[in-house]
Structure formats: structure tokens, C-alpha cells
Amino acid sequence: MAATSGEQPVINKNKKHRKEKPWDTDDIDHTVIFTVNTCSNLLQWTIEPFAPDHNKGGIFTEESSFATLFPKYRENYLREVWSAVTKVLDPYGIACTLDLVHGSMSVRTTRKTFDPYIILKARDIIKLLARGVAITQAQKVLQDDMACDIIKIGNLVRNKDRFVKRRQRLIGPDGSTLKAIELLTQCYVLVQGNTVSVMGPYKSLKEVRRIVLDCMKNIHPIYRIKELMIRRELAKDPKLATESWDRFLPKFRKRHLKTSEKTSKKNEKLAVDDETRTKKEKPAKKVYTPFPPPQQPRKVDLQLESGEYFLKVHEREAREVQQRKQKQAEATLKRRAERAEAYVAPKEEAAPTVEEKRKRRHTEVDSDDRAGRSKKKKKDVATEA
């Protein structure tokens, strides 16, 4: 027994290769984070900013460079802010050039560059500037916890009108949908032309890309927004950190119509079209006359009648502008009235008072009594007969 007690404890074969970690001491600053999809804990280490003394290799042996084209309408803005771009990249030892002849921007490393990854961040800056992002926002990509993603949506939908509608659906009325996505994912999102530029944490970029691609596949962003809101609330509860969240998340299924339903809908539509055709009255036949129709007044004659002919050029233009504005104002009022119809509260029936309830009860009792008396009279007549 003494010999067995002096032996080393038996180690599980799955843990025999594990070694002590002398570098993981109490003075290291790290925080514990629970992942959403998996139930394992991860350690997030505090990231120190990269300093010149961290680069043990010294000066880079080769020059790295990236270039990107920009559209013509961005030329004036880039010319104005290019001094700010050089000022942002200069502390990192990155040189940048703006070529207005070929319409391109380029960044390259110099002998002062000490961070090997900063050239990729500089490439992201010129990409975002080319896609319409302001320099004040684009320079945040240089932070270590910030990344960017440019999602191409131009070739996902063939029909141009359908593409414009789905892109507008992503933005929402007055940009409300886009603002909700930004608040839930902590990202900056800009929809410009055929691309969507996104800036934010790495994990949030995946969520935004999923929302954008699903929107182009005719899945409304509100479904993903609702799911993100539920996940946000579930993350606040520490008891659910080690459990699966599938039972809380909504499951939206696209409903496919059966062949019979499609046929019935098609038949209904054809019936409505036939009714509209039959309702249209046939135009009455014109009575034949040998005389030609009266001559229509010319444009000059109409101007003479209205007095517009004697107006000066600038007065005529001012009159046309006034008429156009009046038509636009009428159209906007009509559109607002149509939109306001959706927000008109329906008529609500007031709850019956105590007296009304009492009267209703009395009337019901009286009607029951009358019905019982009539039945009794019928029975008596039947027995006498």
C-alpha cells in the first residue's frame, strides 16, 4: 500500500500532452468572453499598439504597394482632402499618391514604415474613399479592432428595377432600416451604387454581409434585425451562456404556393380582366359629315388669348416655374394624404354602460319568456285537438 501511495497519480491519456503555461500569470490582463454559437469560453487578450521597437527585423527589404481606381465624381472631393489623407498615413510611414490623369490612388511602404500590416489598412482606406466614404470615417480603419468589407451587390439581381427596389429596401424609409443595422451591429454602413461599404468589428462584418446578401435574395432585413435584437437580449443573461439559443430564435420559412393555388389565383385574375373588358363601353360611331372639322387654334393663338404672347422671356420662364411648383405641391399633398391614410385610427365602439347591459339582459329575458309561452300554447292546442 505504501508503494502504491508513493506512485504518481494516473493521468488521463487525453491530457497527457498538456503542459504548464508559465507565461499565463496573474499579471496578464485578459477578459473572458462567451461565444454565441459555441458554448466554450475564449480568452481575449488586450492588444497593445504596434510600436517601432516591436519590429525586430528592421527596415523592409522590398517595397509593397496597392492602387485602386476611383470614379470621376469623386475627383473634386479627393483633391480637397488629399492633404488630410497624407497627414493620417504619415505617422505610420506610408506614402500615398493621387493620380488625376489615370483616376487612381496608390499607397506604398517607405523606409520609415515599421508595421508590416499597416499597408493593408492603408489599402482599405483608399478603397473606402473610392466608394464614397468620408476621410473622417475611413481613417478609423487604422485602429486594430476595426476592419472593413466592401460587398458587391450589382450582379446579384438581373432586373434593374428589382435591384433598385431591393437596394432601397435595405436603406428603408428615411434610412431607418440602415440605422437599425448600424445600432445593432456597431458598424458604419454606406450604400453607394453597386456596392455596400461596411466598417466595424470583424464579427459584426459577417452579420452585415449576411443581411445585405439576404436582402438581395428577397429576404427582408427586418427578419435579421429581429434575430439580432433577440440575441442581444439573450447575451445579457449569464445563465444562457452555456445553452443553445435555437429555441428562442424565430424561424422564418418562405411559403411556396401549390400548383392548385397558383392556378386558382391565375383564374381569378383572368376573370377580373374579363369583367373589366366587358364593362368598357364601345365608342359610339361618328356621324358622317361631308364637311371638314373646324380648324384647331394654333399655339400662338392660344398665347394671344391668354396674354402669354406679350410677356417677356424671363416673365414667361418665371410663370412656367410657378406652374411647375404648383403641380409639384399638389402632388406632394396628395401623396402625403395617401400615406396618412395608413395611420388613421379605426373607429372603436365604446364599451356598453351598466344601464345598457341591464336593458339588454331584460330584453333577452323577455324574449325567452315569450318564446316559452308560445311553445306552451302550441302544446295545449295540440292536446285539445
Side-chain angles (χ1 to χ4, degrees):
M1 292 296 290
T4 54
S5 61
E7 292 178 0
Q8 294 181 352
V10 178
I11 300 172
N12 189 355
K13 67 176 184 178
N14 296 329
K15 298 180 182 180
K16 65 182 177 181
H17 294 293
R18 295 191 180 182
K19 297 179 182 179
E20 294 292 329
K21 299 174 184 175
W23 60 85
D24 191 5
T25 55
D26 295 333
D27 58 342
I28 294 172
D29 182 19
H30 58 266
T31 55
V32 177
I33 289 183
F34 294 98
T35 57
V36 174
N37 296 326
T38 60
C39 298
S40 58
N41 299 343
L42 293 177
L43 292 174
Q44 182 185 12
W45 303 84
T46 53
I47 303 168
E48 296 178 3
F50 198 88
D53 56 342
H54 292 159
N55 187 9
K56 305 297 182 182
I59 301 168
F60 301 149
T61 55
E62 292 184 7
E63 182 186 280
S64 301
S65 63
F66 291 98
T68 185
L69 301 173
F70 60 86
K72 184 72 176 174
Y73 61 85
R74 292 290 289 171
E75 185 178 322
N76 293 332
Y77 176 78
L78 292 172
R79 196 187 299 165
E80 290 174 5
V81 302
W82 197 250
S83 58
V85 176
T86 54
K87 192 175 179 182
V88 168
L89 296 175
D90 191 46
Y92 300 96
I94 298 291
C96 56
T97 54
L98 176 66
D99 189 355
L100 297 174
V101 177
H102 298 96
S104 66
M105 295 178 283
S106 61
V107 288
R108 66 181 187 278
T109 56
T110 60
R111 295 179 66 84
K112 294 180 182 178
T113 310
F114 56 89
D115 188 354
Y117 191 73
I118 200 67
I119 186 65
L120 300 177
K121 295 275 189 180
R123 176 201 63 184
D124 293 341
I125 282 183
I126 60 173
K127 274 187 179 180
L128 292 168
L129 288 172
R131 292 317 309 149
V133 181
I135 180 59
T136 52
Q137 184 67 34
Q139 67 183 5
K140 295 178 183 177
V141 180
L142 295 173
Q143 300 172 10
D144 290 330
D145 58 343
M146 190 74 85
C148 79
D149 188 10
I150 294 172
I151 307 162
K152 295 179 181 178
I153 58 174
N155 57 353
L156 297 177
V157 184
R158 289 184 181 180
N159 193 341
K160 187 70 177 175
D161 297 334
R162 196 175 294 166
F163 166 73
V164 171
K165 285 180 182 177
R166 291 183 186 178
R167 186 180 62 181
Q168 186 60 34
R169 191 185 298 167
L170 183 65
I171 298 167
D174 300 327
S176 57
T177 308
L178 205 65
K179 190 69 179 174
I181 294 168
E182 288 181 348
L183 290 171
L184 288 169
T185 58
Q186 301 298 319
C187 289
Y188 170 81
V189 186
L190 176 71
V191 181
Q192 177 80 10
N194 293 334
T195 57
V196 179
S197 305
V198 190
M199 289 176 58
Y202 291 94
K203 189 178 176 183
S204 299
L205 292 180
K206 290 183 179 180
E207 293 288 346
V208 177
R209 175 174 274 274
R210 181 188 173 199
I211 293 168
V212 171
L213 295 179
D214 284 350
C215 184
M216 290 294 117
K217 292 175 185 174
N218 203 20
I219 299 172
H220 203 282
I222 195 67
Y223 298 135
R224 304 299 178 200
I225 289 170
K226 190 174 182 181
E227 186 179 329
L228 286 173
M229 290 173 71
I230 293 168
R231 285 181 182 274
R232 193 177 182 183
E233 293 299 320
L234 292 172
K236 295 177 183 178
D237 192 356
K239 295 178 183 177
L240 299 171
T242 56
E243 295 180 14
S244 177
W245 294 354
D246 291 338
R247 66 181 189 274
F248 301 110
L249 300 176
K251 294 175 183 177
F252 304 104
R253 287 189 297 174
K254 192 173 181 180
R255 185 172 173 270
H256 296 281
L257 293 174
K258 296 177 183 177
T259 311
S260 58
E261 292 176 353
K262 287 180 183 176
T263 310
S264 62
K265 282 195 171 186
K266 190 177 179 182
N267 293 337
E268 286 175 8
K269 191 177 180 184
L270 289 171
V272 171
D273 292 341
D274 292 337
E275 286 178 6
T276 51
R277 280 199 209 98
T278 52
K279 282 180 182 178
K280 285 182 181 177
E281 296 178 358
K282 293 182 179 179
K285 288 184 179 180
K286 294 181 181 179
V287 181
Y288 173 75
T289 54
F291 305 104
Q295 188 178 359
Q296 297 296 322
R298 298 177 299 164
K299 190 176 180 181
V300 178
D301 297 335
L302 294 171
Q303 288 179 350
L304 284 167
E305 285 179 9
S306 63
E308 189 181 347
Y309 183 79
F310 304 103
L311 294 174
K312 294 178 182 178
V313 178
H314 67 275
E315 291 177 345
R316 200 175 297 164
E317 288 177 356
R319 190 175 180 183
E320 288 176 0
V321 170
Q322 188 178 358
Q323 289 176 355
R324 202 181 303 126
K325 284 183 178 178
Q326 189 175 355
K327 284 182 181 178
Q328 288 175 355
E330 290 174 359
T332 50
L333 287 171
K334 188 178 178 183
R335 215 175 294 121
R336 280 179 187 170
E338 288 175 357
R339 287 176 186 165
E341 284 178 3
Y343 299 102
V344 174
K347 291 182 179 179
E348 295 182 2
E349 295 182 0
T353 58
V354 178
E355 293 179 0
E356 289 176 355
K357 287 180 181 177
R358 198 177 293 156
K359 285 179 182 178
R360 195 183 298 167
R361 205 176 297 133
H362 285 309
T363 52
E364 288 175 358
V365 170
D366 293 341
S367 62
D368 291 340
D369 291 343
R370 285 172 191 165
R373 286 170 190 169
S374 62
K375 284 181 182 178
K376 192 175 181 182
K377 282 181 181 179
K378 286 177 183 178
K379 283 182 181 179
D380 294 340
V381 170
T383 52
E384 287 174 2

